[in-house]
Every structure is written in structure tokens, then in C-alpha cells.
Amino acid sequence: DHRDKVIKVSIGYGHLVVCTTTQCASYDVNRFATPAVFDLRDAVITVSQCEKLFLLADCMQGISICTYEGRLISTIKIAVNIRPEMVSTSHVSLSPDTVAVRDPSNHKVIQFYDASSGKRLKDFGVSHHLEITDLCVSQRGSQSDRKVAFIDKNKDMYLAPLLATSSNLLTQNGAPASPNSPPPELIAAAGNIVSEKLATMVSSAKWHDEFETLVAISDGHLATWYLPSVVFVDRDLLTNVKHLRSDDNGEHEFTTNALIHDFSSTRIGVRRGSDGALLTFGISPYPSMLFAHIQRHDWDGAVRLCRFLGEPMLWSILACLGIRSTELRTAGIAYSALGSLDKVRYLSLIHI
């Protein structure tokens, strides 16, 4: 029970965040009797959560990053005069160490800020050739491993890495960057970070709250990429890690007005556009089991799991993660199971 009108509510990661016109309360779902409460200076426009932090955005202070204990970590001022649309849910995204914001003065650019200090990350940045209408940042990995998925005004969805390194930069003529290339921040400002197109006619997208898995509503389908970053390693594997769910019952569940509001464990929560009903869909549990083996560096266990299930999707994930982690022997086994003998031979030459 709150003394003022409740204007924003968000639940996730084991916490409930409730904002009234004057206060914010953070509840642990296991201890509702003792919330962390603090005062607000202005009405909250956006609430976003991640594992250990949550974000509050208003027109007076800008973006505030807080812990679930109610402690202010940092404040990000993105503009002198902040309008509500600048800090809407579509234009601001929070991860455990990074905040992504669409540039208020240039809607083709995504800026990144450090969540702990509130400072702009100069080596991070994504520029696009069209106006960006929606964005979301992955939750898994370190800051340099972070990926951002964004949708432009043509409803095309792209995937880009946050960090401008030599492995994901192009020169002006499209060739790989050389050691004598300009500094990363200059290349990022020029918009030459490699972004890969994943889908068209996308209306909503969301990252998994634990793993590097992306889901989107695309052209009347619910599309799931169990490891979308495979596109930066071997684009031939992208179709293997993608799963499409069609609207078979004719209920118009995946229309352009539908919204993905939750993606955790093996469940996807979708708010249907026609009547606002909340729908739940499932995904395969096997990729999360494979990710768990790899997080423990149990590559032999990951190979055994793939051999037992025999799914090309799992072998493709293992091949990508094996190359990323320089586990070339494991990657060779995965490519062999996929029948890519040319890549197996190439990896064996590198391994020798």
C-alpha cells in the first residue's frame, strides 16, 4: 500500500520496483515486508532492470542507476532539456555494466555509458544509416562481449558489438582494419562498426535475461536466435541457430502491435496486440544446458551433450563458441558433425 498514486511498476530478477509520484520502492520478492524506499524529484518515465541494478529515467535528473537496496550508483545526463521520448523504454537499455541510449541529437547513433560511473564510453558506439527506433543490450558476458540489437525505421533488425576493436571494424573501403587504422573512437563516430542484419519487419525484440539468446516478433512469426553472435563468426551457421514459431491457430498472436515483455528461463512472454492478453511460449531447454557446460569450461561434457541430442542447432552453437574461445579441437568436432569438411580441414591446419 502506497500513499501516492502508482505510476510505474517493473518486476524481474527477483525484485519488484514500484514508482509513485513522489517515491520509489524496491521489494525483494522473498521479503515484501521490508522494501528499500527513497524519494523522487520528478515523475518517472522509464523503469528498466538487470541482475544487480535498475534504471530510473525522468525529465529532471535524466537517467539514474540504483541498486536494489536503494543506493544511487550514478546519474547520466544525456541532454540539457530532456523530453519524455528521449528516455522512453525503446530508446534506453540497461545491462549489468553498460547503459545504451539513442543519441538525442542524432537518432542514427547509439551512445553507451558506464553504469557504475555514468561516464560516456568513448571506445563504444554504433552508428546506422537510418533512424533507430528501438534498441536492447545483451545481459551476458563482460562489457567487451556485450552486443546491441536495434531496429531502424524500416523495421529491419541489426546486431552489432559494443566495443570498436580491430576484429569488428571496417575501413572506408570495406576491408579489415589494419594496425595503422584510426583510433576506435574515430572509427565508431564514422559509423564503421560492423552491424549484421538479422531480420525484417520486426516490431519487438528482447534478450534473454541470462544467456546470449535473442527473440523477436518478425513478419508474423516469433523468431528465436539461440546464439545470434554466430553471424560474426560464421554466417553459414545462422540458419541453424534460428527457430521460427508461426501463428498456426489463426489468433493473430504475432502482429505488429504485439510486444515481448519478458524472456527468462525457457519462457517468452508476449502481450498480444489485439486485446492485450499475456501469452507464454516455450523455447528449447537444450541450448541453456549447453551454455552451462561451456561456462564451466566443460568442453567434453558439451560435446557429449551434442552427440546425445544430435541437433544441428547445438552443434552450430558449439562450433561458434569453440572458435570464440580458441577451442579449435572442439570446433572441429562440431563442424565435422555438421558435415563442413572444408572447415574441419582448415581448423586442423591452424591447430597443427
Side-chain angles (χ1 to χ4, degrees):
D1 188 20
H2 298 272
R3 67 185 185 188
D4 299 309
K5 181 181 178 181
V6 175
I7 57 175
K8 289 289 180 181
V9 176
S10 177
I11 186 168
Y13 300 94
H15 290 83
L16 171 67
V17 179
V18 179
C19 295
T20 68
T21 54
T22 60
Q23 288 184 326
C24 176
S26 173
Y27 296 87
D28 189 316
V29 295
N30 298 317
R31 298 191 302 272
F32 277 107
T34 56
V37 182
F38 56 92
D39 294 331
L40 299 172
R41 297 179 60 184
D42 195 13
V44 172
I45 299 169
T46 298
V47 179
S48 180
Q49 294 178 255
C50 68
E51 184 179 4
K52 297 181 180 179
L53 305 171
F54 68 94
L55 174 153
L56 301 176
D58 58 50
C59 291
M60 181 177 291
Q61 283 190 296
I63 298 173
S64 301
I65 311 298
C66 307
T67 66
Y68 288 109
E69 291 75 31
R71 183 167 61 92
L72 178 66
I73 297 296
S74 63
T75 301
I76 301 171
K77 195 75 171 179
I78 62 173
V80 176
N81 298 315
I82 301 175
R83 299 189 302 274
E85 62 270 16
M86 293 181 180
V87 289
S88 67
T89 307
S90 301
H91 303 153
V92 177
S93 182
L94 174 69
S95 69
D97 47 33
T98 310
V99 180
V101 182
R102 190 184 73 171
D103 191 335
S105 60
N106 185 357
H107 294 172
K108 299 179 182 179
V109 175
I110 301 175
Q111 299 176 345
F112 299 99
Y113 298 84
D114 187 272
S116 60
S117 65
K119 295 181 179 179
R120 171 90 179 272
L121 298 174
K122 299 297 184 180
D123 291 347
F124 291 61
V126 172
S127 180
H128 193 53
H129 62 281
L130 292 174
E131 178 183 338
I132 296 170
T133 59
D134 202 344
L135 60 93
C136 54
V137 179
S138 63
Q139 303 295 312
R140 182 66 190 169
S142 62
Q143 197 172 62
S144 60
D145 296 327
R146 203 75 62 205
K147 308 291 187 301
V148 58
F150 60 90
I151 305 170
D152 63 21
K153 68 177 183 179
N154 285 348
K155 299 296 183 181
D156 296 330
M157 185 173 72
Y158 291 81
L159 183 71
L162 267 63
L163 182 59
T165 62
S166 58
S167 61
N168 54 43
L169 291 176
L170 294 180
T171 58
Q172 293 293 341
N173 59 6
S178 67
N180 297 322
S181 297
E185 59 270 21
L186 296 182
I187 302 179
N192 289 322
I193 293 181
V194 177
S195 60
E196 294 286 348
K197 186 175 180 179
L198 291 182
T200 60
M201 300 300 293
V202 178
S203 58
S204 179
K206 195 172 184 65
W207 288 96
H208 194 277
D209 63 354
E210 186 178 355
F211 301 114
E212 194 177 320
T213 301
L214 180 66
V215 65
I217 296 175
S218 171
D219 196 18
H221 299 83
L222 186 66
T224 304
W225 292 267
Y226 289 101
L227 188 66
S229 59
V230 72
V231 72
F232 299 116
V233 178
D234 185 354
R235 193 177 181 87
D236 294 339
L237 301 178
L238 186 61
T239 56
N240 291 346
V241 301
K242 180 180 178 180
H243 176 265
L244 283 178
R245 183 188 182 99
S246 302
D247 185 10
D248 297 328
N249 55 12
E251 294 292 335
H252 303 291
E253 296 168 343
F254 310 129
T255 62
T256 55
N257 294 326
L259 178 68
I260 301 171
H261 71 90
D262 179 61
F263 186 21
S264 60
S265 184
T266 58
R267 298 183 300 274
I268 304 170
V270 177
R271 186 178 296 277
R272 190 162 56 194
S274 58
D275 56 5
L278 295 177
L279 309 174
T280 301
F281 303 95
I283 62 171
S284 173
Y286 301 127
S288 60
M289 298 169 62
L290 181 60
F291 290 142
H293 278 288
I294 294 173
Q295 287 174 12
R296 298 193 302 266
H297 302 285
D298 182 13
W299 294 97
D300 292 335
V303 171
R304 287 195 299 271
L305 176 66
C306 292
R307 281 177 174 161
F308 177 75
L309 296 171
E311 294 187 9
M313 176 258 293
L314 297 178
W315 284 118
S316 299
I317 294 174
L318 185 62
C320 174
L321 296 179
I323 293 175
R324 184 191 296 180
S325 304
T326 64
E327 289 285 339
L328 301 185
R329 174 182 170 274
T330 303
I333 293 173
Y335 274 120
S336 177
L338 292 170
S340 301
L341 300 182
D342 55 334
K343 296 172 184 177
V344 174
R345 181 172 177 79
Y346 182 72
L347 288 175
S348 64
L349 293 175
I350 296 175
H351 189 62
I352 292 174

PDB file of all heavy atoms in Angstrom, residues 88-107:
ATOM      1  N   SER A  88      12.473   7.036 -23.264  1.00  0.00           N
ATOM      2  CA  SER A  88      11.432   6.011 -23.275  1.00  0.00           C
ATOM      3  C   SER A  88      12.066   4.625 -23.260  1.00  0.00           C
ATOM      4  O   SER A  88      13.275   4.462 -23.481  1.00  0.00           O
ATOM      5  CB  SER A  88      10.544   6.175 -24.509  1.00  0.00           C
ATOM      6  OG  SER A  88      11.284   5.899 -25.688  1.00  0.00           O
ATOM      7  N   THR A  89      11.264   3.624 -23.022  1.00  0.00           N
ATOM      8  CA  THR A  89      11.757   2.250 -22.947  1.00  0.00           C
ATOM      9  C   THR A  89      12.417   1.804 -24.247  1.00  0.00           C
ATOM     10  O   THR A  89      13.368   1.018 -24.238  1.00  0.00           O
ATOM     11  CB  THR A  89      10.595   1.299 -22.609  1.00  0.00           C
ATOM     12  OG1 THR A  89       9.937   1.765 -21.429  1.00  0.00           O
ATOM     13  CG2 THR A  89      11.095  -0.110 -22.369  1.00  0.00           C
ATOM     14  N   SER A  90      11.956   2.317 -25.375  1.00  0.00           N
ATOM     15  CA  SER A  90      12.514   1.934 -26.670  1.00  0.00           C
ATOM     16  C   SER A  90      13.891   2.522 -26.924  1.00  0.00           C
ATOM     17  O   SER A  90      14.644   1.995 -27.733  1.00  0.00           O
ATOM     18  CB  SER A  90      11.573   2.372 -27.798  1.00  0.00           C
ATOM     19  OG  SER A  90      10.307   1.782 -27.653  1.00  0.00           O
ATOM     20  N   HIS A  91      14.226   3.613 -26.229  1.00  0.00           N
ATOM     21  CA  HIS A  91      15.461   4.335 -26.531  1.00  0.00           C
ATOM     22  C   HIS A  91      16.509   4.228 -25.436  1.00  0.00           C
ATOM     23  O   HIS A  91      17.577   4.820 -25.559  1.00  0.00           O
ATOM     24  CB  HIS A  91      15.131   5.813 -26.789  1.00  0.00           C
ATOM     25  CG  HIS A  91      14.143   6.017 -27.893  1.00  0.00           C
ATOM     26  ND1 HIS A  91      13.308   7.103 -27.960  1.00  0.00           N
ATOM     27  CD2 HIS A  91      13.853   5.253 -28.981  1.00  0.00           C
ATOM     28  CE1 HIS A  91      12.543   7.022 -29.039  1.00  0.00           C
ATOM     29  NE2 HIS A  91      12.867   5.907 -29.673  1.00  0.00           N
ATOM     30  N   VAL A  92      16.215   3.495 -24.371  1.00  0.00           N
ATOM     31  CA  VAL A  92      17.155   3.307 -23.272  1.00  0.00           C
ATOM     32  C   VAL A  92      17.177   1.832 -22.909  1.00  0.00           C
ATOM     33  O   VAL A  92      16.129   1.186 -22.819  1.00  0.00           O
ATOM     34  CB  VAL A  92      16.749   4.141 -22.039  1.00  0.00           C
ATOM     35  CG1 VAL A  92      17.692   3.864 -20.882  1.00  0.00           C
ATOM     36  CG2 VAL A  92      16.746   5.619 -22.364  1.00  0.00           C
ATOM     37  N   SER A  93      18.379   1.283 -22.712  1.00  0.00           N
ATOM     38  CA  SER A  93      18.508  -0.128 -22.344  1.00  0.00           C
ATOM     39  C   SER A  93      19.626  -0.282 -21.322  1.00  0.00           C
ATOM     40  O   SER A  93      20.676   0.366 -21.435  1.00  0.00           O
ATOM     41  CB  SER A  93      18.804  -0.989 -23.580  1.00  0.00           C
ATOM     42  OG  SER A  93      18.888  -2.357 -23.239  1.00  0.00           O
ATOM     43  N   LEU A  94      19.397  -1.141 -20.333  1.00  0.00           N
ATOM     44  CA  LEU A  94      20.338  -1.340 -19.229  1.00  0.00           C
ATOM     45  C   LEU A  94      20.871  -2.760 -19.226  1.00  0.00           C
ATOM     46  O   LEU A  94      20.132  -3.721 -19.436  1.00  0.00           O
ATOM     47  CB  LEU A  94      19.628  -1.058 -17.893  1.00  0.00           C
ATOM     48  CG  LEU A  94      20.421  -1.348 -16.616  1.00  0.00           C
ATOM     49  CD1 LEU A  94      21.585  -0.359 -16.454  1.00  0.00           C
ATOM     50  CD2 LEU A  94      19.503  -1.287 -15.396  1.00  0.00           C
ATOM     51  N   SER A  95      22.187  -2.886 -19.010  1.00  0.00           N
ATOM     52  CA  SER A  95      22.839  -4.173 -18.771  1.00  0.00           C
ATOM     53  C   SER A  95      23.632  -4.052 -17.472  1.00  0.00           C
ATOM     54  O   SER A  95      23.727  -2.965 -16.909  1.00  0.00           O
ATOM     55  CB  SER A  95      23.749  -4.533 -19.948  1.00  0.00           C
ATOM     56  OG  SER A  95      24.869  -3.676 -20.003  1.00  0.00           O
ATOM     57  N   PRO A  96      24.204  -5.136 -16.945  1.00  0.00           N
ATOM     58  CA  PRO A  96      24.888  -5.054 -15.651  1.00  0.00           C
ATOM     59  C   PRO A  96      26.006  -4.025 -15.563  1.00  0.00           C
ATOM     60  O   PRO A  96      26.321  -3.552 -14.469  1.00  0.00           O
ATOM     61  CB  PRO A  96      25.436  -6.473 -15.460  1.00  0.00           C
ATOM     62  CG  PRO A  96      24.476  -7.331 -16.195  1.00  0.00           C
ATOM     63  CD  PRO A  96      24.074  -6.529 -17.393  1.00  0.00           C
ATOM     64  N   ASP A  97      26.636  -3.650 -16.682  1.00  0.00           N
ATOM     65  CA  ASP A  97      27.736  -2.694 -16.618  1.00  0.00           C
ATOM     66  C   ASP A  97      27.625  -1.553 -17.627  1.00  0.00           C
ATOM     67  O   ASP A  97      28.471  -0.677 -17.652  1.00  0.00           O
ATOM     68  CB  ASP A  97      29.080  -3.413 -16.833  1.00  0.00           C
ATOM     69  CG  ASP A  97      29.030  -4.351 -18.038  1.00  0.00           C
ATOM     70  OD1 ASP A  97      28.311  -4.032 -19.011  1.00  0.00           O
ATOM     71  OD2 ASP A  97      29.664  -5.422 -17.988  1.00  0.00           O
ATOM     72  N   THR A  98      26.605  -1.559 -18.475  1.00  0.00           N
ATOM     73  CA  THR A  98      26.516  -0.595 -19.564  1.00  0.00           C
ATOM     74  C   THR A  98      25.087  -0.099 -19.734  1.00  0.00           C
ATOM     75  O   THR A  98      24.133  -0.871 -19.569  1.00  0.00           O
ATOM     76  CB  THR A  98      26.980  -1.228 -20.893  1.00  0.00           C
ATOM     77  OG1 THR A  98      28.243  -1.858 -20.706  1.00  0.00           O
ATOM     78  CG2 THR A  98      27.093  -0.185 -21.989  1.00  0.00           C
ATOM     79  N   VAL A  99      24.953   1.185 -20.060  1.00  0.00           N
ATOM     80  CA  VAL A  99      23.663   1.773 -20.395  1.00  0.00           C
ATOM     81  C   VAL A  99      23.735   2.235 -21.854  1.00  0.00           C
ATOM     82  O   VAL A  99      24.653   2.972 -22.228  1.00  0.00           O
ATOM     83  CB  VAL A  99      23.317   2.956 -19.482  1.00  0.00           C
ATOM     84  CG1 VAL A  99      21.958   3.547 -19.853  1.00  0.00           C
ATOM     85  CG2 VAL A  99      23.318   2.522 -18.020  1.00  0.00           C
ATOM     86  N   ALA A 100      22.783   1.800 -22.658  1.00  0.00           N
ATOM     87  CA  ALA A 100      22.712   2.209 -24.062  1.00  0.00           C
ATOM     88  C   ALA A 100      21.581   3.218 -24.229  1.00  0.00           C
ATOM     89  O   ALA A 100      20.473   2.997 -23.743  1.00  0.00           O
ATOM     90  CB  ALA A 100      22.477   1.006 -24.961  1.00  0.00           C
ATOM     91  N   VAL A 101      21.888   4.319 -24.923  1.00  0.00           N
ATOM     92  CA  VAL A 101      20.910   5.390 -25.124  1.00  0.00           C
ATOM     93  C   VAL A 101      20.988   5.859 -26.568  1.00  0.00           C
ATOM     94  O   VAL A 101      22.083   6.069 -27.104  1.00  0.00           O
ATOM     95  CB  VAL A 101      21.178   6.584 -24.178  1.00  0.00           C
ATOM     96  CG1 VAL A 101      20.114   7.664 -24.360  1.00  0.00           C
ATOM     97  CG2 VAL A 101      21.249   6.137 -22.733  1.00  0.00           C
ATOM     98  N   ARG A 102      19.847   6.027 -27.194  1.00  0.00           N
ATOM     99  CA  ARG A 102      19.844   6.635 -28.519  1.00  0.00           C
ATOM    100  C   ARG A 102      20.196   8.111 -28.390  1.00  0.00           C
ATOM    101  O   ARG A 102      19.657   8.808 -27.536  1.00  0.00           O
ATOM    102  CB  ARG A 102      18.471   6.484 -29.188  1.00  0.00           C
ATOM    103  CG  ARG A 102      18.464   6.880 -30.651  1.00  0.00           C
ATOM    104  CD  ARG A 102      17.080   6.806 -31.262  1.00  0.00           C
ATOM    105  NE  ARG A 102      16.222   7.893 -30.789  1.00  0.00           N
ATOM    106  CZ  ARG A 102      15.021   8.174 -31.299  1.00  0.00           C
ATOM    107  NH1 ARG A 102      14.529   7.435 -32.270  1.00  0.00           N
ATOM    108  NH2 ARG A 102      14.292   9.159 -30.808  1.00  0.00           N
ATOM    109  N   ASP A 103      21.137   8.556 -29.201  1.00  0.00           N
ATOM    110  CA  ASP A 103      21.612   9.939 -29.140  1.00  0.00           C
ATOM    111  C   ASP A 103      20.436  10.896 -29.364  1.00  0.00           C
ATOM    112  O   ASP A 103      19.769  10.840 -30.398  1.00  0.00           O
ATOM    113  CB  ASP A 103      22.677  10.160 -30.214  1.00  0.00           C
ATOM    114  CG  ASP A 103      23.407  11.477 -30.047  1.00  0.00           C
ATOM    115  OD1 ASP A 103      22.834  12.403 -29.450  1.00  0.00           O
ATOM    116  OD2 ASP A 103      24.548  11.589 -30.519  1.00  0.00           O
ATOM    117  N   PRO A 104      20.148  11.789 -28.394  1.00  0.00           N
ATOM    118  CA  PRO A 104      19.008  12.701 -28.556  1.00  0.00           C
ATOM    119  C   PRO A 104      19.152  13.654 -29.738  1.00  0.00           C
ATOM    120  O   PRO A 104      18.147  14.076 -30.318  1.00  0.00           O
ATOM    121  CB  PRO A 104      18.991  13.484 -27.227  1.00  0.00           C
ATOM    122  CG  PRO A 104      19.761  12.638 -26.272  1.00  0.00           C
ATOM    123  CD  PRO A 104      20.795  11.937 -27.092  1.00  0.00           C
ATOM    124  N   SER A 105      20.386  13.978 -30.108  1.00  0.00           N
ATOM    125  CA  SER A 105      20.605  14.934 -31.193  1.00  0.00           C
ATOM    126  C   SER A 105      20.785  14.272 -32.550  1.00  0.00           C
ATOM    127  O   SER A 105      20.682  14.922 -33.578  1.00  0.00           O
ATOM    128  CB  SER A 105      21.838  15.805 -30.895  1.00  0.00           C
ATOM    129  OG  SER A 105      22.994  14.998 -30.762  1.00  0.00           O
ATOM    130  N   ASN A 106      21.069  12.969 -32.560  1.00  0.00           N
ATOM    131  CA  ASN A 106      21.257  12.224 -33.806  1.00  0.00           C
ATOM    132  C   ASN A 106      20.656  10.836 -33.618  1.00  0.00           C
ATOM    133  O   ASN A 106      21.265   9.963 -33.006  1.00  0.00           O
ATOM    134  CB  ASN A 106      22.741  12.137 -34.166  1.00  0.00           C
ATOM    135  CG  ASN A 106      22.975  11.473 -35.507  1.00  0.00           C
ATOM    136  OD1 ASN A 106      22.044  11.006 -36.175  1.00  0.00           O
ATOM    137  ND2 ASN A 106      24.231  11.399 -35.932  1.00  0.00           N
ATOM    138  N   HIS A 107      19.483  10.621 -34.154  1.00  0.00           N
ATOM    139  CA  HIS A 107      18.756   9.383 -33.930  1.00  0.00           C
ATOM    140  C   HIS A 107      19.332   8.198 -34.683  1.00  0.00           C
ATOM    141  O   HIS A 107      18.795   7.097 -34.596  1.00  0.00           O
ATOM    142  CB  HIS A 107      17.289   9.578 -34.304  1.00  0.00           C
ATOM    143  CG  HIS A 107      16.577  10.550 -33.418  1.00  0.00           C
ATOM    144  ND1 HIS A 107      15.298  10.997 -33.659  1.00  0.00           N
ATOM    145  CD2 HIS A 107      16.978  11.175 -32.276  1.00  0.00           C
ATOM    146  CE1 HIS A 107      14.926  11.854 -32.724  1.00  0.00           C
ATOM    147  NE2 HIS A 107      15.941  11.976 -31.880  1.00  0.00           N
TER     148      HIS A 107
END
